Amino acid sequence: MNILQINVCLDKGGAAKVALDLHNNLQKIGVNSQFAYGWGVKGGKSDSESNVKNCFRIGSKLQVITNFVFHNFFGFDLFSPFGVRRSKLLEAIKMADVVHLHVIHSYFIKFSWILDAIASANKPVVWTSHDYWILTGRCSSVGDCNKWQSGCGNCPNLSSYPATFLDFSATEFKRKRMYLSKISSNLVLVSPSSFLANELKKELPNVDVCHIPNWLDKNFEDACRNNILANELIKLPFGSVNVLVVSNNLDDTSKVNKELIISLLDLKGVFLHTIGKNSPFSGKNVFNHGEITDRIEMVKVISSCDVSLFTSKIDTFGLVMIESLACGVPVLAVKSKAAEEVLLGLNIKPVDSYADIIELIRSRTLPTEYINKTRESLQVSIFERFGHSAATENYVKIYKRLISANKLS
């Protein structure tokens, strides 16, 4: 079985973590998997490329930078791979039994070109919808906007990622649906969350849709298992309390509530730990750890904290929540689709408001769902529900089903 994974990044962001872990897991069980990615540092090679087997870069710096500039004006990518990179990608598609798409927006490939190439090669497609981009005319995170349900146009959120100056969302909406129809008979869409899966089924009734939750990557899970947790009840210390915030971009207000965090920093004994780039927070009680790729180091930093915050308004899953819980660290999150997707399945209720989070930390208390639980029990519940091996098995079942159907057609 030959599988080709395609994602914008090799190791940055939640989608990349999932895609790369799946790629590595497939190779360990004897499946031939290749990983094609768009770009890494400053549009060039990823720092991790030399450590990953069977991976190659699709984008060149010139292609990525040009697409970035063009996309910021017009809202879509203009250029696809060229030269040797183009030939290598087309050959990989030709050799694949299944092409597995992940995130294909963000400046590295013209989506109509890649879907045409796959359709021409008559290859089955698994497409993991890590966000709403498949359903919209332009953006990847819809927030409170519902215009995508009627074909977009007059986009009210042109700054929403990936941002644009001019609005061609209505045209792009039609183009996406047209190209999706070209591969729909040979396509399985996978959603990490049940609410997004329901939207996909509603909007694309002729497409096979499955729900496979995101999971802990193997290296992170192994690091957690090797990190011995104290078998004591979870509680917030009455003295200093270490609060964790994790985001790829800490300056993104759609994911990180700055006002909440500033209010918490004004409380006595609160220390903030951040993981991610572009932290807007500073001070004697702030520890910005920056981007952390080493999973052992990440587990160490998370485990050193007393509580983790999740304030994203746009995530479709919230991988950072299960990473914190896997380290035995309780999560405080206000109600959102992503928070409810993860926490309610663990019988933990999101809180009602940001004011509630402030009061809980001020009074050094936690929601009742954490009472009489230990860090170890939190970790066990995450391993059972979001361990890496079950997800890989589910994807392999989908691959086999598509390959079998393609041979019969």
Side-chain angles (χ1 to χ4, degrees):
M1 188 189 305
N2 297 311
I3 309 299
L4 173 63
Q5 313 275 341
I6 302 178
N7 190 62
V8 58
C9 292
L10 180 60
D11 61 354
K12 302 291 184 184
K17 289 180 184 177
V18 168
L20 182 55
D21 191 61
L22 178 60
H23 169 68
N24 290 331
N25 292 342
L26 289 172
Q27 292 180 95
K28 288 175 182 176
I29 62 173
V31 176
N32 182 29
S33 177
Q34 288 199 81
F35 196 117
Y37 74 98
W39 47 269
V41 180
K42 296 181 179 180
K45 179 180 177 181
S46 170
D47 289 337
S48 300
E49 184 177 317
S50 59
N51 298 321
V52 179
K53 294 181 180 178
N54 297 333
C55 78
F56 62 95
R57 178 161 55 100
I58 298 172
S60 65
K61 277 193 176 183
L62 176 62
Q63 172 197 339
V64 171
I65 292 171
T66 304
N67 274 339
F68 175 79
V69 174
F70 188 89
H71 204 131
N72 273 265
F73 276 95
F74 300 102
F76 55 91
D77 295 329
L78 181 64
F79 293 109
S80 294
F82 47 83
V84 174
R85 300 187 191 282
R86 182 188 189 99
S87 300
K88 189 167 185 177
L89 177 57
L90 289 174
E91 181 63 21
I93 291 172
K94 179 182 177 182
M95 298 301 295
D97 294 311
V98 175
V99 177
H100 190 155
L101 302 176
H102 293 271
V103 174
I104 65 165
H105 54 75
S106 303
Y107 325 122
F108 80 107
I109 204 164
K110 188 175 180 180
F111 83 86
S112 56
W113 180 86
I114 187 65
L115 295 189
D116 262 340
I118 293 169
S120 297
N122 191 33
K123 297 298 180 179
V125 179
V126 173
W127 195 340
T128 301
S129 183
H130 295 274
D131 51 39
Y132 275 82
W133 185 83
I134 290 173
L135 293 175
T136 73
R138 193 196 63 73
C139 69
S140 61
S141 302
V142 298
D144 296 327
C145 177
N146 293 319
K147 299 196 76 170
W148 56 275
Q149 295 175 342
S150 55
C152 288
N154 297 318
C155 178
N157 300 314
L158 293 178
S159 61
S160 180
Y161 183 81
T164 184
F165 180 71
L166 299 175
D167 181 15
F168 291 93
S169 59
T171 302
E172 287 300 289
F173 181 92
K174 293 176 182 177
R175 290 182 70 237
K176 277 186 191 175
R177 296 300 168 99
M178 180 183 71
Y179 279 95
L180 274 169
S181 68
K182 289 187 176 184
I183 61 172
S184 61
S185 63
N186 230 1
L187 168 67
V188 173
L189 286 179
V190 178
S191 169
S193 58
S194 57
F195 68 84
L196 180 53
N198 291 334
E199 298 285 13
L200 291 166
K201 290 174 183 177
K202 178 182 175 182
E203 296 296 318
L204 303 169
N206 297 322
V207 175
D208 187 359
V209 177
C210 297
H211 171 219
I212 300 177
N214 283 345
W215 62 91
L216 297 169
D217 64 78
K218 185 178 186 303
N219 289 338
F220 191 95
E221 186 174 335
D222 288 345
C224 285
R225 291 183 184 277
N226 291 329
N227 183 44
I228 306 301
L229 299 177
N231 190 24
E232 57 187 27
L233 295 178
I234 296 170
K235 60 183 178 180
L236 295 185
F238 284 105
S240 300
V241 59
N242 292 291
V243 178
L244 174 70
V245 176
V246 183
S247 180
N248 183 47
N249 181 7
L250 292 157
D251 202 32
D252 183 348
T253 55
S254 65
K255 292 204 170 192
V256 178
N257 189 300
K258 295 182 183 179
E259 292 182 5
L260 167 65
I261 294 170
I262 290 171
S263 296
L264 290 175
L265 289 172
D266 287 337
L267 298 178
K268 184 179 180 180
V270 171
F271 292 85
L272 176 69
H273 294 258
T274 71
I275 297 176
K277 63 185 180 184
N278 302 329
S279 175
F281 310 109
S282 60
K284 293 182 179 179
N285 54 341
V286 176
F287 300 90
N288 293 311
H289 299 275
E291 293 182 284
I292 302 176
T293 56
D294 181 82
R295 311 309 274 158
I296 295 174
E297 179 62 21
M298 190 166 185
V299 167
K300 180 180 178 181
V301 172
I302 295 174
S303 299
S304 70
C305 295
D306 301 301
V307 65
S308 177
L309 303 184
F310 182 81
T311 62
S312 174
K313 301 175 183 177
I314 63 173
D315 278 38
T316 54
F317 184 76
L319 189 61
V320 296
M321 283 186 285
I322 65 170
E323 289 176 339
S324 293
L325 292 167
C327 293
V329 177
V331 172
L332 296 181
V334 290
K335 290 180 179 178
S336 68
K337 289 181 178 179
E340 291 176 345
E341 180 80 23
V342 172
L343 296 180
L344 290 181
L346 297 165
N347 297 316
I348 300 170
K349 293 180 181 178
V351 300
D352 291 324
S353 69
Y354 295 123
D356 290 335
I357 291 179
I358 294 172
E359 178 57 27
L360 285 168
I361 293 179
R362 186 198 64 78
S363 62
R364 302 298 196 264
T365 57
L366 287 170
T368 56
E369 291 86 358
Y370 290 110
I371 294 175
N372 295 326
K373 287 188 177 180
T374 65
R375 284 197 167 201
E376 187 178 35
S377 67
L378 270 188
Q379 185 181 77
V380 169
S381 66
I382 292 298
F383 289 163
E384 289 176 350
R385 190 173 179 86
F386 300 110
H388 72 278
S389 58
T392 301
E393 292 172 5
N394 287 331
Y395 271 113
V396 169
K397 289 176 183 177
I398 295 174
Y399 297 153
K400 288 180 177 179
R401 174 161 59 86
L402 273 173
I403 293 169
S404 178
N406 194 49
K407 288 180 179 178
L408 293 174
S409 62

